[in-house]
């Protein structure tokens, strides 16, 4: 007989897409069921990272946009009485060849000691969802935690 699943932290990577909001809703439902917390990590894609590195985009504008989205996800958790923590990670590095959106997710999962991952996989539109679609493939292959791909 196997041990029941113990979940203390549910990690959900987001990228500002509608699919990310859906993934947060699933993560909050799982956290509710297991009396766990949710950690939302906003993954910055290649285009944004390159713009930040080159100085062609205002860092404050990027921070304000990600903060607004992360605040929206925290409200979803709060409405359900689930504790939510947040962070931001680069899903791309112009100097580190092994930096991939999926590796950023798994690094964050290790850092926050996540027991369960919820990640969007099937974007319905072109745009930022593509970032997490690529990350999901990687996470599904290499995660040591249970993964729900939405």
């Amino acid at each position: 007989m196997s041990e029941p699943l113990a979940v203390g932290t549910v990690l959900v990577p987001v990228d500002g897409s509608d699919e990310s909001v859906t993934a947060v809703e699933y993560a909050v439902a799982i956290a509710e069921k297991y009396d766990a917390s949710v950690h939302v990590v906003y993954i910055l894609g290649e285009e944004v990272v390159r713009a930040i590195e080159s100085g062609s985009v205002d860092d404050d504008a990027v921070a304000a946009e990600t903060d607004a989205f992360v605040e929206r996800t925290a409200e979803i958790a709060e409405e359900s009485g689930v504790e939510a923590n947040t962070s931001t990670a680069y899903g791309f590095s112009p100097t580190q060849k092994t930096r991939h959106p999926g590796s950023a997710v798994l690094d964050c999962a290790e850092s926050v000691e996540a027991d369960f991952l919820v990640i969007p996989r099937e974007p319905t539109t072109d745009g930022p969802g593509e970032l997490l679609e690529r990350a999901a493939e990687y996470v599904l292959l290499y995660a040591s935690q249970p993964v729900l791909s939405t």
Side-chain angles (χ1 to χ4, degrees):
M1 189 162 127
S2 64
E3 294 291 319
L5 183 63
V7 178
T9 302
V10 179
L11 177 71
V12 57
V14 299
D15 62 2
S17 65
D18 290 341
E19 294 79 15
S20 293
V21 174
T22 301
V24 169
E25 291 168 348
Y26 276 100
V28 167
I30 291 165
E32 269 186 300
K33 175 159 180 63
Y34 290 97
D35 195 27
S37 64
V38 170
H39 188 97
V40 178
V41 57
Y42 195 104
I43 304 292
L44 298 173
E46 180 176 353
E47 190 175 303
V48 173
V49 171
R50 284 191 187 276
I52 290 170
E53 296 287 326
S54 70
S56 63
V57 69
D58 180 24
D59 292 0
D60 292 336
V62 172
E65 185 178 316
T66 59
D67 287 349
F69 186 82
V70 167
E71 186 175 306
R72 181 176 168 201
T73 65
E75 289 171 0
I76 293 169
E78 186 178 297
E79 288 171 3
S80 297
V82 171
E83 178 187 342
N85 299 297
T86 62
S87 60
T88 304
Y90 281 19
F92 169 80
S93 171
T95 59
Q96 191 179 18
K97 196 173 189 178
T98 60
R99 192 65 171 171
H100 178 281
S103 67
V105 171
L106 294 182
D107 289 348
C108 184
E110 184 178 324
S111 176
V112 302
E113 299 179 352
D115 305 298
F116 198 101
L117 309 177
V118 177
I119 187 166
R121 180 173 182 165
E122 300 291 337
T124 56
T125 60
D126 291 335
E130 294 173 3
L131 171 72
L132 289 181
E133 180 181 22
R134 288 184 309 178
E137 293 170 9
Y138 186 92
V139 168
L140 287 166
L141 285 172
Y142 299 109
S144 58
Q145 304 87 341
V147 179
L148 171 61
S149 179
T150 63

